[in-house]
DNA sequence: CTGAAAGCGCTTACAG
DNA sequence: CTGAAAGCGCTTACAG
């Protein structure tokens, strides 16, 4: 394995001074066209490409954003990271991935490690709207721009955040069902301490108020984000309250609910409609296909990255900001 | 935002020479316990942590592995990357993620960018066993250790590779069905050019030979890795050949096949058994739950990382190696 | 328009 | 056991 050529070697080969090569590659000062072309050509021949880390040492810019995330979560963190990556690519930035350790202490170390690697900034991508306090504390100590994706900090003063509007998501899902003439809606969430569930149920309630439809508090039940949990909750609801529609706080719950309806001999959507949340791949695979609320992961990711870049470019023009982006209903066969 | 303290400042504050701090942090030479402790304490107070990039410049080791991948694929690349990340963490390495551009030229640039960032090595995580020739060529030109995950290069001379044994996976899936007394097995794959499908069907055939059961070539059909495709293929097979078991080359196909069986009024597994491939989350969500072949992603990821580290530590003791790891059958309700 | 020099934050032989 | 110096590959004022 040959070594990578350095700037010096290129300069020598091209017969120019050493910094000239730097100037050519950075367009950082006028260089005669002839020299520029000559340098570029020799660089190409030698297979030279500037060492980004050495440049980073000199400029204290690494063109790398650290992504700290707490879970390989296919329905939230991965789609957001994918969107960040795509945006980063177009700005010629790279991502360093760091999975957050389970222990609070580890989280601190992860952050330290990231800053020790000269990240220009760090985006923390949470898979849940419930932020771990240890992380908040650790983030506060970082000396570089920090941004939160999918969740917001308890104290808005420190960092930017970009997240989906769970309340509005719950609102439009419920409106969707009510506007189809459904009147006995059930809500199945995860546990009551889950912020996303809380916001989604808030939207559920608001839609009822808005359209002046009464709801039955007994039809709002909690469990966890899994199909079996949704199955059981739906089975009980069907037996006791005969809902004509179910709004599930999550697609896994929705699948479970669908299965329970079918097992109870109910036709979907004729006898009962179902709407999920996440708009995951599941929704198209299961039959009947499942109507679901889509969160704007692409926009969240892109906005996170763009805001980060802006902050890096205009370090002075900054005050913490929280952006909440709307969801949309994707209609399929269960409603 | 205060700046990060440097080694110099720590040295000053601790009243020791500048390199002494370095020696303490690297354990690279004997330092008196008193000095060591004193240095460590002041470092802690100041919040000092060594700059890994500056260290990288001096040592040409960045303790960072570049991960080049071609798709955020939830059933293959992401699980492998997750396993690599976990292993990397235990070795105090970090991962830089780079999604490979669609165009061959972009792939080259991605690789260059990774080497320009002083990655110690690069692991290419493919989501398919069909390797893009442009990538192979680009990899050949890299000047650092390269390793392929999930796929192997056409020319084994250049790089290491670690991949699952698709043939053995097909073999055990088929054995599993045959040993349950099934005798009219169908195989539904993706297209015939897909290497994974080809290997899996080879295992299907071998199992039949091994157990001296005849198979009907008309029951080996191709489509794509989606539920609708599996649905249609299964519907046709059921109408024309009445299989008593279906081995699907993919879980999505398996779900489609299951749906077709149910639509045709067949009981699963009584009338017909189904085995998928990937052991994805789907298998536990769908009812009946789906028996599937699990690929050893954890082992693949860990082995990739460990081999990479070994190569970095023992650069001389290396010849290219291909490792093929066995799959296992995870029994569920469809068989 | 171009060259010579200092510095980014580290490591590591070289002396003592 | 510890210090002073050179170097990793770049960038960027400072001169000319």
């Amino acid at each position: 394995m040959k070594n990578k050529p350095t700037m010096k070697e290129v300069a020598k080969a091209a017969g120019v001074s050493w910094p000239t090569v730097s100037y050519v590659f950075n367009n950082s000062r006028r260089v005669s066209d002839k020299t520029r072309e000559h340098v570029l050509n020799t660089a190409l021949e030698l297979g030279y490409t500037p060492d980004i880390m050495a440049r980073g040492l000199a400029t204290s810019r690494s063109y790398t954003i650290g992504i700290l995330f707490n879970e390989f979560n296919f329905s939230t963190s991965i789609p957001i990271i994918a969107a960040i990556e795509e945006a980063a690519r177009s700005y010629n930035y790279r991502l360093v991935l760091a999975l957050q350790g389970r222990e609070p202490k580890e989280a601190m170390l992860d952050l330290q490690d990231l800053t020790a690697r000269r990240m220009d900034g760090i985006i923390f991508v949470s898979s849940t709207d419930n932020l771990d306090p240890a992380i908040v504390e650790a983030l506060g100590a970082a000396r570089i721009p920090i941004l939160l994706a999918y969740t917001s900090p308890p104290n808005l003063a420190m960092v930017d955040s970009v997240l989906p509007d769970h309340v509005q998501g719950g609102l439009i899902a419920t409106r969707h069902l009510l506007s189809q003439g459904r009147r006995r809606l059930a809500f199945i969430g995860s546990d009551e301490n889950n912020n996303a569930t809380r916001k989604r149920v808030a939207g559920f309630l608001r839609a009822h108020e808005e359209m002046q439809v009464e709801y039955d508090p007994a039809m709002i039940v909690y469990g966890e984000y899994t199909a079996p949990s949704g199955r059981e909750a739906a089975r009980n609801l069907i037996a006791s309250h005969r809902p004509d529609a179910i709004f599930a706080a999550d697609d896994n719950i929705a699948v479970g609910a669908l299965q329970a309806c079918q097992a109870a001999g109910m036709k979907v959507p004729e006898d009962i409609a179902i709407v999920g949340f996440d708009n995951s791949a599941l929704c198209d695979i299961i039959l009947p296909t499942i109507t679901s609320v889509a969160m704007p992961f692409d926009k969240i990711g892109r906005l996170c990255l763009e805001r980060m870049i802006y902050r890096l470019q205009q370090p002075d023009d900054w005050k913490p900001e929280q952006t909440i982006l709307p969801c949309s209903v994707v209609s399929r066969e269960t409603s």
Side-chain angles (χ1 to χ4, degrees), chain A residues 193-212:
Chain A
N193 292 321
N194 183 282
N195 287 338
T197 281
R198 278 154 61 150
K199 292 176 180 173
R200 290 166 194 176
V201 79
F204 177 84
L205 300 184
R206 190 182 301 169
H208 279 83
E209 283 169 26
E210 211 185 74
M211 300 184 68
Q212 308 191 6

Side-chain angles (χ1 to χ4, degrees), chain A residues 97-118:
Chain A
L97 270 210
L99 180 62
Q100 176 207 326
R102 296 128 291 269
E103 306 300 320
K105 259 181 209 161
E106 282 189 280
M108 289 285 300
L109 291 178
D110 291 328
L111 249 166
Q112 262 180 31
D113 185 90
L114 243 26
T115 60
R117 279 161 200 278
R118 302 207 144 225

Side-chain angles (χ1 to χ4, degrees), chain A residues 1-6 9 44-48:
Chain A
M1 260 174 258
K2 286 176 305 179
N3 278 318
K4 280 194 62 170
T6 96
E9 304 176 50
L44 197 64
E45 270 169 38
L46 268 55
Y48 169 78

Side-chain angles (χ1 to χ4, degrees), chain A residues 5-326:
Chain A
T6 96
M7 208 166 229
K8 261 183 201 154
E9 304 176 50
V10 175
K12 200 184 205 175
V16 300
S17 94
W18 170 28
T20 300
V21 181
S22 166
Y23 292 126
V24 168
F25 270 89
N26 292 296
N27 275 316
S28 45
R29 91 170 159 198
R30 207 171 305 285
V31 175
S32 73
D33 285 357
K34 205 179 114 193
T35 317
R36 138 167 282 108
E37 211 171 317
H38 182 51
V39 167
L40 250 22
N41 280 334
T42 28
L44 197 64
E45 270 169 38
L46 268 55
Y48 169 78
T49 128
D51 184 315
I52 294 179
M53 290 316 158
R55 173 187 290 172
L57 229 207
T59 61
S60 63
R61 289 290 295 273
S62 66
Y63 296 92
T64 310
I65 310 282
I67 303 288
L68 190 62
F69 62 115
N70 54 1
E71 194 187 353
F72 277 93
N73 185 305
F74 299 158
S75 65
T76 61
S77 32
I78 297 291
I80 293 173
I81 293 172
I84 296 176
E85 143 78 31
E86 193 184 331
R89 156 178 295 272
S90 71
Y91 284 94
N92 269 308
Y93 271 71
R94 279 288 180 251
L95 267 31
V96 167
L97 270 210
L99 180 62
Q100 176 207 326
R102 296 128 291 269
E103 306 300 320
K105 259 181 209 161
E106 282 189 280
M108 289 285 300
L109 291 178
D110 291 328
L111 249 166
Q112 262 180 31
D113 185 90
L114 243 26
T115 60
R117 279 161 200 278
R118 302 207 144 225
M119 299 297 103
D120 289 344
I122 292 178
I123 301 178
F124 179 73
V125 179
S126 177
S127 65
T128 146
D129 195 18
N130 292 54
L131 201 59
D132 182 335
I135 277 292
V136 183
E137 200 183 342
L139 291 173
R143 293 178 170 91
I144 53 177
I146 298 282
L147 211 146
L148 255 41
Y150 194 78
T151 186
S152 57
N155 173 356
L156 292 180
M158 297 174 347
V159 299
D160 289 310
S161 52
V162 182
L163 57 161
D165 192 338
H166 299 287
V167 177
Q168 174 265 0
L171 180 69
I172 58 177
T174 310
R175 253 192 218 150
H176 172 81
L177 290 167
L178 289 174
S179 70
Q180 293 188 342
R182 312 282 173 172
R183 282 298 175 272
R184 301 185 47 72
L185 311 204
F187 173 89
I188 308 179
S190 73
D191 65 299
E192 288 192 73
N193 292 321
N194 183 282
N195 287 338
T197 281
R198 278 154 61 150
K199 292 176 180 173
R200 290 166 194 176
V201 79
F204 177 84
L205 300 184
R206 190 182 301 169
H208 279 83
E209 283 169 26
E210 211 185 74
M211 300 184 68
Q212 308 191 6
V213 176
E214 298 221 1
Y215 62 87
D216 182 349
M219 294 229 276
I220 298 179
V221 301
Y222 299 93
E224 49 184 61
Y225 285 135
T226 65
S229 174
R231 213 135 63 205
E232 198 194 319
R235 191 159 42 78
N236 293 338
L237 278 168
I238 291 168
S240 57
H241 291 82
R242 285 267 144 195
D244 63 4
I246 294 176
F247 172 34
D250 166 74
D251 286 336
N252 292 303
I253 295 177
V255 172
L258 173 58
Q259 291 165 334
C261 293
Q262 292 174 327
M266 300 180 85
K267 282 208 173 312
V268 181
E270 292 80 356
D271 301 335
I272 185 166
I274 296 175
V275 176
F277 212 106
D278 278 359
N279 194 36
S280 63
L282 267 180
C283 298
D284 279 318
I285 291 178
I286 302 281
L287 292 183
T289 57
I290 303 174
T291 297
S292 189
V293 177
M295 291 184 276
F297 293 132
D298 279 5
K299 277 188 194 143
I300 290 174
R302 198 169 343 118
L303 191 56
C304 280
L305 191 99
E306 281 166 0
R307 181 160 302 162
M308 178 60 79
I309 303 248
Y310 183 79
R311 271 189 72 182
L312 295 173
Q313 285 169 176
Q314 315 282 339
D316 302 323
D317 175 25
W318 178 72
K319 45 179 202 273
E321 204 170 320
Q322 181 185 236
T323 306
I324 300 184
L325 297 172

